[in-house]
């Protein structure tokens, strides 16, 4: 094909038709993924589109109800776990006609409703919701109009799919590790209420319940210590300092996420203590946790796999699947030097 690649957006559908040696209507059928397009014609038209840098108008692509965009709502941009989800989601779309559109929740509307609705208003073909605060009933209603996948929260809805980490198993892994080291005074730092809804599918609530279960099963129910604070990442250092300043200082602190765990590590250092005196563990498996200067024991969620699975489920929904699927990804305990056997006081 002799035509040179055009400037993005400058080529027209007529240019594509001329380069491919087909009619304008044939190009339109390929763009709309319409029935009756031969593989040979699809190949010629696709090659012309790529060579000319042609970008179909959304209105043209949407004639069959498709815009070839998938929306993903995330609670915030600063959390280093979310780029892992996005990397997996982006990789899953490689080689497909779909483009990922990211909508971070507005801090003033952190529940995520506004961001998700903005994606729907822009006619994305499907939505991945990451915010754990969006009501399941609202998502069920939304899924009647657009395919939805909830990523992270343990819902059992029929109208939409879910992809989650096994948060109970992961929390039990780190608790058994600490108990196995000989710890008995283990505190848990969380952003959840100290008494969460028993039916809550929010990951932090499930990890908190697993902590309490592990303590009771070890005969340590009377030593359960929950440090609950709003905006746990921002307040982790302050909450940990209070734990460390108490007469009954814990020998280990388990944080609900890696980011708050970093604040706990800073508090341990500021109090003049070391991992020999106070062990610290997190949850997520963010990259910085592996830095030799941090060496944080953590429960690694496979964020990239979770993001990839979410996209795969969404594409299946777009293709017509109606029965719900709920995928659970097994986490992995990664032991580093931030957790050690307790020293006797």
């Amino acid at each position: 094909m002799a035509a040179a690649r055009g400037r993005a957006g400058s080529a027209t559908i007529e240019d594509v038709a001329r380069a491919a040696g087909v009619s304008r209507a044939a190009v339109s059928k390929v763009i709309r993924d319409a029935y009756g397009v031969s593989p040979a014609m699809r190949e010629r038209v696709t090659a012309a589109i790529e060579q000319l840098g042609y970008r179909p108008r959304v209105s043209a692509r949407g004639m069959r109800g498709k815009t070839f965009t998938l929306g993903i709502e995330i609670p915030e941009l600063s959390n280093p776990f979310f780029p892992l989800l996005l990397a997996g989601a982006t990789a899953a779309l490689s080689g497909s006609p779909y483009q990922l559109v990211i909508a971070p929740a507005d801090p003033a509307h952190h529940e995520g409703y506004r961001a998700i609705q903005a994606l729907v208003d822009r006619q994305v073909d499907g939505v991945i919701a990451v915010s754990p605060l969006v009501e399941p009933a609202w998502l069920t209603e939304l899924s009647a109009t657009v395919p939805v996948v909830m990523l992270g929260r343990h819902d059992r809805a029929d109208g939409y799919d879910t992809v989650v980490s096994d948060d109970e198993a992961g929390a039990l892994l780190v608790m058994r590790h600490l108990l196995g080291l000989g710890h008995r005074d283990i505190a848990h730092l969380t952003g959840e209420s100290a008494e969460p809804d028993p039916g809550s599918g929010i990951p932090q609530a499930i990890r908190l319940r697993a902590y309490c279960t592990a303590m009771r099963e070890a005969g340590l129910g009377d030593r359960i210590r929950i440090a609950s604070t709003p905006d746990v990442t921002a307040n982790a250092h302050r909450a940990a300092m209070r734990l460390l300043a108490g007469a009954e200082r814990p020998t280990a602190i388990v944080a609900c996420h890696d980011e708050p765990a970093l604040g706990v590590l800073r508090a341990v250092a500021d109090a003049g203590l070391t991992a020999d005196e106070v062990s610290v563990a997190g949850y997520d498996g963010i990259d910085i946790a592996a830095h030799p200067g941090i060496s944080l024991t953590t429960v690694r969620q496979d964020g990239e796999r979770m993001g990839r699975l979410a996209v795969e489920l969404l594409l299946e929904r777009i293709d017509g699947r109606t029965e719900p699927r709920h995928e659970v990804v097994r986490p992995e305990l990664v032991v580093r030097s931030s957790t050690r056997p307790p020293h006797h006081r």
Side-chain angles (χ1 to χ4, degrees):
M1 203 173 290
R5 179 180 292 274
R7 178 172 54 86
S10 63
T12 66
I13 193 170
E14 288 80 8
D15 295 331
V16 174
R18 190 179 306 111
V22 299
S23 68
R24 186 182 187 281
V27 175
S28 179
K29 288 181 70 174
V30 171
I31 292 170
R32 292 185 288 112
D33 196 21
Y35 178 76
V37 176
S38 71
M41 183 167 68
R42 186 184 305 279
E43 183 177 349
R44 291 204 308 276
V45 171
T46 301
I49 288 172
E50 287 292 322
Q51 187 172 11
L52 296 173
Y54 175 62
R55 293 288 296 166
R57 294 195 309 273
V58 167
S59 59
R61 288 182 293 165
M63 289 174 68
R64 235 184 102 218
K66 286 189 177 182
T67 61
F68 293 95
T69 55
L70 303 182
I72 182 167
E73 171 271 332
I74 57 175
E76 56 181 314
L77 291 172
S78 60
N79 188 322
F81 180 68
F82 294 143
L84 300 177
L85 300 176
L86 295 175
T90 302
L93 292 175
S94 179
S96 81
Y98 286 92
Q99 173 63 45
L100 198 65
V101 177
I102 302 167
D106 181 343
H109 302 86
H110 65 282
E111 300 90 347
Y113 294 102
R114 182 176 178 180
I116 294 172
Q117 192 60 60
L119 291 169
V120 175
D121 289 346
R122 282 154 182 78
Q123 297 183 327
V124 295
D125 294 332
V127 172
I128 299 171
V130 183
S131 178
L133 300 180
V134 177
E135 286 292 333
W138 188 84
L139 279 182
T140 297
E141 183 177 347
L142 181 68
S143 68
T145 60
V146 63
V148 173
V149 174
M150 162 53 74
L151 203 163
R153 193 176 64 199
H154 299 246
D155 296 346
R156 301 300 296 180
D158 291 332
Y160 58 89
D161 301 332
T162 60
V163 176
V164 298
S165 175
D166 192 336
D167 291 289
E168 180 180 18
L172 291 176
L173 281 174
V174 72
M175 286 300 296
R176 288 166 184 157
H177 164 65
L178 291 170
L179 292 166
L181 289 175
H183 290 278
R184 296 297 177 264
D185 294 303
I186 306 171
H188 183 62
L189 174 64
T190 181
E192 279 293 302
S193 162
E195 297 181 1
D197 179 356
S200 173
I202 294 175
Q204 282 194 39
I206 293 172
R207 295 168 197 171
L208 171 56
R209 291 198 297 266
Y211 157 78
C212 294
T213 296
M215 291 291 283
R216 293 189 184 104
E217 289 181 350
L220 302 172
D222 59 337
R223 299 193 188 186
I224 289 175
R225 296 182 66 182
I226 301 168
S228 176
T229 178
D231 196 359
V232 65
T233 297
N235 295 323
H237 178 268
R238 185 181 303 110
M241 290 298 289
R242 287 196 295 266
L243 284 172
L244 299 175
E248 298 295 326
R249 187 182 73 212
T251 63
I253 301 174
V254 180
C256 57
H257 293 290
D258 282 348
E259 276 201 295
L262 298 180
V264 176
L265 284 174
R266 184 162 65 91
V268 170
D270 288 348
L273 303 169
T274 68
D276 290 319
E277 294 154 302
V278 181
S279 289
V280 179
Y283 201 112
D284 279 340
I286 62 176
D287 290 343
I288 193 64
H291 189 284
I294 296 173
S295 193
L296 175 68
T297 291
T298 185
V299 178
R300 178 179 174 271
Q301 302 187 82
D302 194 340
E304 290 194 27
R305 185 182 175 203
M306 293 172 70
R308 187 169 63 251
L309 276 173
V311 164
E312 290 171 358
L313 294 183
L314 199 57
L315 292 176
E316 289 178 9
R317 283 279 188 175
I318 291 170
D319 285 343
R321 176 175 55 81
T322 56
E323 69 278 7
R325 284 184 56 186
H326 303 287
E327 296 289 337
V328 180
V329 176
R330 183 78 179 179
E332 172 193 8
L333 177 66
V334 181
V335 177
R336 299 192 179 103
S337 61
S338 70
T339 53
R340 302 175 186 174
H343 279 200
H344 294 293
R345 296 172 186 167

